[in-house]
């Protein structure tokens, strides 16, 4: 009798199997409380659908490599050559649009900051 009670106790407290789990996503489907874009995370399983954990922040996984390359060049040029940085950010946004991807807010804000840094040129300040 005691063995039966122990067996039932073990079965009742054992972790349940997730029927939606796959080899590529052992955690199964995402929890409803998953982190959204730009929220903190410790692993990609903490992030919502279409997001991955990078530097403890959930970021979208659909990115344009060429667009991000131009954005990185713009970030490097911002202090030395504002006009060059503006050109690189414009190329980055154009590439995202050509790849049919939404422009990430961090790229859009960096482009706006570069345009604001070029306040002396009226048309760039207005665009910013």
């Amino acid at each position: 009798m005691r063995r039966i009670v122990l067996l039932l106790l073990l079965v009742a407290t054992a972790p349940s199997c997730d029927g939606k789990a796959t080899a590529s996503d052992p955690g199964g489907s995402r929890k409803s409380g998953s982190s959204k874009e730009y929220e903190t995370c410790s692993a990609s399983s903490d992030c919502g659908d279409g997001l991955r954990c990078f530097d403890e922040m959930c970021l979208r996984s659909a990115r344009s490599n060429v667009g991000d390359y131009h954005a990185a060049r713009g970030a490097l040029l911002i202090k030395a050559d504002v006009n060059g940085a503006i050109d690189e950010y414009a190329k980055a946004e154009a590439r995202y649009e050509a790849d049919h991807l939404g422009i990430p807010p961090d790229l859009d804000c960096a482009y706006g900051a570069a345009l604001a840094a070029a306040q002396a040129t009226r048309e760039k300040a207005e665009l910013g």
Side-chain angles (χ1 to χ4, degrees):
M1 177 74 176
R2 185 174 180 185
R3 286 185 180 176
I4 294 174
V5 170
L6 283 175
L7 182 61
L8 289 174
L9 185 61
L10 283 174
V11 170
T13 59
S16 61
C17 180
D18 185 356
K20 295 181 182 178
T22 63
S24 63
D25 185 13
S29 61
R30 303 283 184 218
K31 300 173 286 214
S32 62
S34 297
S35 295
K36 294 177 178 51
E37 190 172 14
Y38 298 106
E39 291 182 346
T40 59
C41 58
S42 58
S44 291
S45 60
D46 297 336
C47 301
D49 291 333
L51 303 174
R52 294 287 175 252
C53 188
F54 184 75
D55 285 340
E56 298 180 357
M57 185 184 309
C58 291
L59 298 174
R60 64 180 80 174
S61 55
R63 305 275 305 194
S64 168
N65 291 336
V66 175
D68 287 345
Y69 168 77
H70 286 296
R73 285 184 46 88
L76 289 174
L77 291 172
I78 191 71
K79 291 187 179 181
D81 179 14
V82 174
N83 291 326
I86 290 170
D87 291 340
E88 290 298 326
Y89 284 124
K91 289 177 188 175
E93 289 199 355
R95 184 57 192 230
Y96 264 91
E97 290 174 357
D99 290 343
H100 304 290
L101 296 169
I103 297 170
D106 56 321
L107 170 58
D108 212 23
C109 289
Y111 184 31
L115 289 166
Q119 292 178 19
T121 307
R122 180 180 173 192
E123 62 194 32
K124 290 180 181 172
E126 286 178 0
L127 186 58

